[in-house]
Amino acid sequence: MKIKLTNNQKKKLKAFFRNTKAQIRGVDFALALLIFVIAFSQVIIVLSNLLIPSLVQMETYSQEQELNKLYSNIFFSQGSPTDWGTRSTEGLLDFKLGLMGTNSELDFTKINRLTSDISDYWALNYLDVKVSYGLVRDFAVSIYSPITIEIESFTAAFGIITIEGVVKELLTPIANAEVWALSIDENNNVATNYTTTQNISGDIKFQAVINADDTNHYTIVVFAQVGEIYQDYTVIRLVKQDLGLEYELADFNFRPFVYENTDLQTSAIDFNYERESLSDEATGIVVFPFSGLGVTHYSQSLVATTLISEPIYQGTELPIPANGLAVLVINDRADSTYTAGYMGIPMFQDDENGNIFAHSSFADQTTYISETRTMLVRNILLKCQIWYW
């Protein structure tokens, strides 16, 4: 039985099929679009996983290249001008920092210029150094010994001073390290003790007993040596309290600037520091490890003079050994008031001594790259590090 459709019914049927096909095409398009989006997102994810690490690596590589260049400029060049170490800060024109000396070793005079609390006449400004190299990023410079001395305790009474401590490489105590302990009292007398680190009550440490004159003030300098090329020093100041017999740790009052004397054929230093107006007497004493030298120190009375209209005390041509670390201690009197200061030869650029040469924000910095090498200073190996961020 055949069913005949009217013309109107045929038109409706054709319209129905056309709409159905259109819906099918819409569904197909939506599915195709969904598949494309999913596939494209996977491609983006894959590319991101590949490209982002590559970009990070490229950025890190770029920073490392900049760090290597900066390290070379600071530690492997003499800087500009090459004799900038003994020129006043105001006299440094077209200055660029470089710590190398003329003998393929680092120059302790130039290292000492990085010390944070020396007088303005000698002090270097971090931002000036940064600008001189056209740096956008910040950096920090540190110079310190691969071994460390830690003073764990001290006692002082009736001129007998006992110092106990350890000599370490990283966190490991070192046995048989040579240790020299020296005291400088308020009358500029030097007393000494030589010992070694050894097993004391189950611990590797040293105990140095110094027989000194009984005074109210002492500067204690301790040197340690491991082998022929590793040395370290630490410096503390002991002051007797007004009441009783107890001594306590005290801060140093000032920081002299110490630089190499270039006029003599033998090793010697010049030094100066800002003089207090009431000061009437000052003595500079340089101490050092003394095995085989026949002497333990050299001393010199300082001369009061002026430098750029500022009153200073000055010392010249004070002898020091040709090699090895040393420390200059200055005792200063103003009537009955006693003050003291010190500087290392070279002065370590670390948190304990001359402070790391850096932007003030360095203490809060947690993300950086760095490079550390060992380099010779006065025939002693020191660690030289630059942070860069």
Side-chain angles (χ1 to χ4, degrees):
M1 178 178 172
K2 294 183 178 178
I3 299 175
K4 291 185 178 181
L5 300 175
T6 65
N7 290 336
N8 188 40
Q9 289 175 327
K10 288 179 179 180
K11 290 180 180 179
K12 290 181 177 180
L13 186 60
K14 288 180 180 180
F16 171 77
F17 282 120
R18 280 198 302 269
N19 291 336
T20 302
K21 289 180 180 179
Q23 292 176 0
I24 292 173
R25 290 192 187 99
V27 171
D28 290 342
F29 177 77
L31 288 173
L33 180 61
L34 179 62
I35 292 171
F36 173 78
V37 170
I38 293 173
F40 186 73
S41 65
Q42 293 299 314
V43 171
I44 294 298
I45 292 173
V46 171
L47 290 177
S48 298
N49 290 335
L50 292 175
L51 290 177
I52 291 177
S54 297
L55 292 174
V56 171
Q57 289 175 359
M58 290 175 62
E59 176 68 15
T60 301
Y61 177 75
S62 175
Q63 290 186 41
E64 290 175 347
Q65 293 296 101
E66 294 171 2
L67 171 61
N68 290 336
K69 182 179 179 180
L70 180 62
Y71 196 100
S72 179
N73 286 335
I74 291 179
F75 284 112
F76 292 105
S77 80
Q78 295 182 45
S80 177
T82 57
D83 65 344
W84 66 266
T86 53
R87 296 193 185 190
S88 69
T89 302
E90 289 185 354
L92 293 178
L93 303 176
D94 298 324
F95 168 68
K96 282 186 171 54
L97 178 65
L99 301 178
M100 184 63 67
T102 58
N103 57 351
S104 299
E105 291 191 2
L106 296 180
D107 185 332
F108 79 80
T109 299
K110 295 176 179 179
I111 293 173
N112 287 1
R113 291 290 292 270
L114 301 180
T115 305
S116 63
D117 48 359
I118 58 176
S119 68
D120 293 340
Y121 184 85
W122 299 110
L124 296 181
N125 182 279
Y126 165 83
L127 291 178
D128 290 342
V129 174
K130 179 180 175 179
V131 170
S132 73
Y133 278 118
L135 296 176
V136 176
R137 301 179 184 275
D138 284 307
F139 71 97
V141 174
S142 182
I143 301 171
Y144 55 96
S145 175
I147 63 173
T148 57
I149 303 169
E150 294 181 9
I151 295 179
E152 297 181 326
S153 65
F154 68 87
T155 60
F158 306 109
I160 300 176
I161 305 167
T162 302
I163 307 292
E164 290 191 352
V166 294
V167 179
K168 293 183 177 180
E169 182 179 13
L170 297 178
L171 300 177
T172 304
I174 303 171
N176 302 316
E178 296 182 275
V179 176
W180 296 263
L182 303 96
S183 72
I184 301 99
D185 66 29
E186 62 189 62
N187 298 313
N188 306 313
N189 298 311
V190 178
T192 67
N193 177 270
Y194 169 79
T195 187
T196 60
T197 55
Q198 52 196 287
N199 191 321
I200 300 176
S201 301
D203 295 321
I204 301 299
K205 61 172 60 178
F206 67 86
Q207 184 181 81
V209 180
I210 305 171
N211 293 302
D213 290 345
D214 187 8
T215 62
N216 294 326
H217 307 267
Y218 298 102
T219 295
I220 307 296
V221 184
V222 181
F223 294 96
Q225 178 169 307
V226 177
E228 297 297 325
I229 55 175
Y230 295 106
Q231 286 185 1
D232 186 35
Y233 65 78
T234 190
V235 187
I236 61 173
R237 184 176 178 223
L238 306 182
V239 176
K240 184 184 288 186
Q241 300 308 294
D242 293 335
L243 300 175
L245 301 176
E246 296 293 325
Y247 288 81
E248 291 188 359
L249 292 173
D251 293 331
F252 285 92
N253 305 99
F254 54 85
R255 184 78 70 193
F257 177 63
V258 180
Y259 49 104
E260 186 173 16
N261 179 285
T262 58
D263 295 333
L264 297 179
Q265 296 298 316
T266 57
S267 296
I269 56 172
D270 297 339
F271 51 95
N272 58 56
Y273 70 100
E274 295 179 3
R275 175 192 176 205
E276 294 292 336
S277 58
L278 296 178
S279 178
D280 51 22
E281 178 185 345
T283 301
I285 304 167
V286 64
V287 295
F288 39 80
F290 50 79
S291 291
L293 294 175
V295 293
T296 62
H297 67 282
Y298 295 102
S299 64
Q300 182 180 103
S301 296
L302 306 189
V303 176
T305 183
T306 57
L307 184 68
I308 314 299
S309 74
E310 294 293 331
I312 66 167
Y313 269 125
Q314 183 174 9
T316 59
E317 301 179 5
L318 181 61
I320 59 172
N323 295 307
L325 305 180
V327 172
L328 175 74
V329 176
I330 292 180
N331 287 337
D332 190 338
R333 286 183 181 275
D335 294 328
S336 60
T337 302
Y338 168 88
T339 57
Y342 87 92
M343 177 172 268
I345 305 170
M347 190 67 172
F348 291 152
Q349 304 302 315
D350 55 19
D351 291 330
E352 180 180 350
N353 295 280
N355 293 322
I356 295 172
F357 184 76
H359 191 277
S360 58
S361 65
F362 175 64
D364 301 322
Q365 189 63 35
T366 57
T367 304
Y368 51 78
I369 58 175
S370 69
E371 181 174 353
T372 305
R373 304 185 191 183
T374 52
M375 302 187 68
L376 284 172
V377 183
R378 293 177 52 79
N379 209 36
I380 297 297
L381 280 175
L382 298 181
K383 284 192 173 183
C384 302
Q385 182 172 9
I386 290 183
W387 291 268
Y388 191 63
W389 66 95

